[in-house]
């Protein structure tokens, strides 16, 4: 809570100004303005203004101006901020069910992943944050997470032995890296470049666009596409802010978010391809390992959930068959 106090002066300014019939919702996120998520959020503003006939809008605060993901979640819970985008990983600390997304190799492929998110299981998970005064409005694609390293290439799990790997604040992610032989180290995203530069950690794991846009490739010269997890981003709104909107305003906002999600998926696919090409051109060694070696090493993680609610959820996800027409 003490960390949140440093953002209160800025948050107070967000509510200042003359009386205005325009209902403006403030969105904070920790990513760069070149990131597809930021572009998609700007699209929410464009579509919301359209649907509401310029009576509603959103204002986006990027680059961690209002805090990093955990802080942004807490601001939503307080009702001090309207909306944010967070990875399902740190959300696990607030909504334990979200640990499902950090279980490695949960999804068979991209089509299976998308079918789960768009289907009944995904929609149930989107509703889960309501228990902690948050409401999920939609999923942004965050692709698959893979390892990158500074000191040596990673071809097999054995190559992770002795390496300090940055992970998000997720007990499931911590356990996964331990199972693979690495030493997990939670570090805030905004502090990771310096941590890699100074040798505080020997590597990290993330998707290609984040690896590229963060410029971590300048230090971590090996990128191993093991694609161990597919952790989506959730677009959240404060339950207290949502409750004060009229039924019509809620419809406008949800339609704008749905449009934004559709655009973000296209942007994400294009950005992923461009990011891999750009880091390769910059001299990064891209490794495509035998994924079965990684999958086998962490297979026991799924079994630990047998007989639990998470285990039942895993079984339902396994049973989803995507439409491949």
């Amino acid at each position: 809570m003490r960390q949140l106090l440093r953002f209160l002066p800025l948050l107070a300014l967000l509510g200042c100004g003359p009386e205005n019939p325009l209902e403006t919702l403030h969105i904070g996120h920790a990513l760069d303005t070149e990131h597809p998520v930021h572009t998609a959020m700007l699209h929410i503003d464009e579509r919301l203004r359209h649907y509401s006939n310029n009576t509603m809008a959103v204002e986006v605060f990027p680059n961690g101006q209002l805090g990093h993901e955990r802080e942004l979640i807490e601001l939503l819970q307080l009702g001090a901020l309207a909306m944010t985008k967070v990875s399902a990983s740190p959300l696990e600390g607030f909504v334990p069910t979200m640990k499902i997304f950090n279980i490695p190799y949960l999804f068979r492929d991209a089509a299976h992943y998308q079918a789960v998110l768009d289907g009944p299981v995904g929609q149930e998970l989107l509703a889960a944050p309501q228990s902690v005064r948050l409401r999920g409005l939609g999923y942004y694609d965050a692709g698959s997470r893979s390892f990158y390293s500074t000191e040596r290439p990673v071809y097999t799990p054995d190559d992770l032995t002795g390496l300090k790997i940055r992970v998000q604040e997720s007990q499931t992610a911590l356990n996964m890296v331990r199972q693979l032989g690495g030493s997990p180290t939670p570090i805030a995203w905004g502090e990771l470049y310096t941590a890699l530069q100074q040798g505080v950690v020997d590597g990290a794991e993330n998707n290609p666009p984040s690896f590229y846009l963060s410029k971590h490739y300048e230090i971590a010269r090996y990128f191993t596409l093991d694609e161990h997890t597919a952790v989506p981003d959730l677009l959240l709104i404060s339950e207290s802010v949502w409750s004060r909107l009229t039924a019509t305003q809620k419809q406008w906002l949800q339609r704008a978010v749905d449009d934004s999600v559709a655009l973000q998926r296209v942007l994400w696919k294009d950005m992923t391809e461009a990011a891999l090409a750009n880091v390769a051109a910059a001299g990064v060694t891209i490794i495509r390992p035998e994924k079965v070696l990684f999958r086998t090493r962490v297979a026991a993680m799924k079994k630990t959930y047998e007989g639990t609610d998470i285990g039942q959820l895993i079984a339902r996800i396994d049973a989803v068959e995507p439409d491949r027409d």
Side-chain angles (χ1 to χ4, degrees):
M1 183 62 67
R2 183 177 301 172
Q3 290 181 326
L4 295 179
L5 294 178
R6 61 193 173 103
F7 299 112
L8 291 182
L10 178 55
L11 290 168
L13 287 174
L14 298 184
C16 295
E19 289 296 324
N20 193 323
L22 182 67
E23 175 76 40
T24 302
L25 303 177
H26 299 106
I27 306 181
H29 69 83
L31 299 171
D32 188 275
T33 54
E34 294 181 55
H35 200 283
V37 162
H38 182 73
T39 304
M41 285 183 172
L42 295 179
H43 193 60
I44 295 177
D45 178 58
E46 176 188 329
R47 301 309 296 160
L48 185 56
R49 288 175 184 269
H50 169 74
Y51 290 131
S52 69
N53 195 25
N54 285 316
T55 61
M56 289 186 73
V58 299
E59 185 173 1
V60 185
F61 294 82
N63 293 314
Q65 293 178 55
L66 303 182
H68 295 291
E69 292 201 337
R70 185 176 185 86
E71 295 163 335
L72 292 168
I73 292 171
E74 292 172 348
L75 288 172
L76 260 66
Q77 289 180 309
L78 292 171
L81 180 67
M83 299 172 65
T84 190
K85 182 287 305 176
V86 298
S87 169
S89 287
L91 195 56
E92 175 185 325
F94 298 82
V95 185
T97 309
M98 288 296 156
K99 71 176 62 175
I100 189 73
F101 289 117
N102 287 297
I103 296 173
Y105 300 106
L106 177 67
F107 303 106
R108 295 188 291 276
D109 52 30
H112 181 222
Y113 164 78
Q114 208 62 70
V116 171
L117 294 190
D118 292 342
V121 175
Q123 296 312 298
E124 288 175 26
L125 288 167
L126 193 60
Q130 291 179 38
S131 63
V132 291
R133 305 188 303 281
L134 304 168
R135 178 176 289 267
L137 295 178
Y139 292 106
Y140 280 159
D141 192 356
S144 296
R145 301 177 73 91
S146 295
F147 291 108
Y148 49 92
S149 52
T150 59
E151 296 300 317
R152 63 173 185 257
V154 173
Y155 294 96
T156 72
D158 289 339
D159 295 324
L160 287 167
T161 302
L163 295 185
K164 298 186 294 294
I165 302 296
R166 179 267 180 181
V167 295
Q168 294 176 294
E169 291 186 31
S170 157
Q171 288 302 315
T172 313
L174 288 163
N175 187 29
M176 177 195 68
V177 171
R178 290 193 191 101
Q179 292 289 325
L180 289 170
S183 177
T185 307
I187 293 176
W189 177 249
E191 300 169 7
L192 182 52
Y193 187 96
T194 301
L196 289 165
Q197 194 174 45
Q198 296 179 350
V200 175
V201 290
D202 305 305
E205 47 89 47
N206 217 315
N207 51 62
S210 294
F211 177 56
Y212 172 62
L213 293 174
S214 64
K215 300 188 185 300
H216 292 171
Y217 69 90
E218 295 176 347
I219 307 163
R221 306 299 285 171
Y222 305 100
F223 194 26
T224 302
L225 295 177
D226 64 297
E227 299 182 322
H228 46 263
T229 53
V231 183
D233 287 337
L234 276 74
L235 192 62
L236 300 174
I237 187 169
S238 165
E239 189 66 51
S240 64
V241 173
W242 177 262
S243 65
R244 66 176 170 78
L245 298 178
T246 68
T248 301
Q249 287 176 323
K250 291 173 182 177
Q251 290 176 357
W252 289 335
L253 179 58
Q254 187 63 64
R255 289 179 68 187
V257 167
D258 292 345
D259 290 347
S260 170
V261 166
L263 173 65
Q264 193 269 346
R265 288 182 182 179
V266 174
L267 295 175
W268 184 264
K269 182 178 183 296
D270 293 343
M271 176 61 83
T272 298
E273 294 172 357
L276 288 172
N278 287 334
V279 298
V284 171
T285 299
I286 296 178
I287 300 161
R288 291 177 169 81
E290 293 291 336
K291 293 181 187 178
V292 66
L293 300 176
F294 293 82
R295 188 187 297 270
T296 301
R297 187 71 67 91
V298 294
M301 286 184 68
K302 279 188 178 181
K303 294 182 180 180
T304 63
Y305 294 107
E306 290 180 355
T308 69
D309 290 343
I310 292 294
Q312 293 176 11
L313 201 53
I314 291 172
R316 290 177 63 196
I317 288 172
D318 285 343
V320 172
E321 291 293 338
D323 182 0
R324 298 183 185 276
D325 291 341

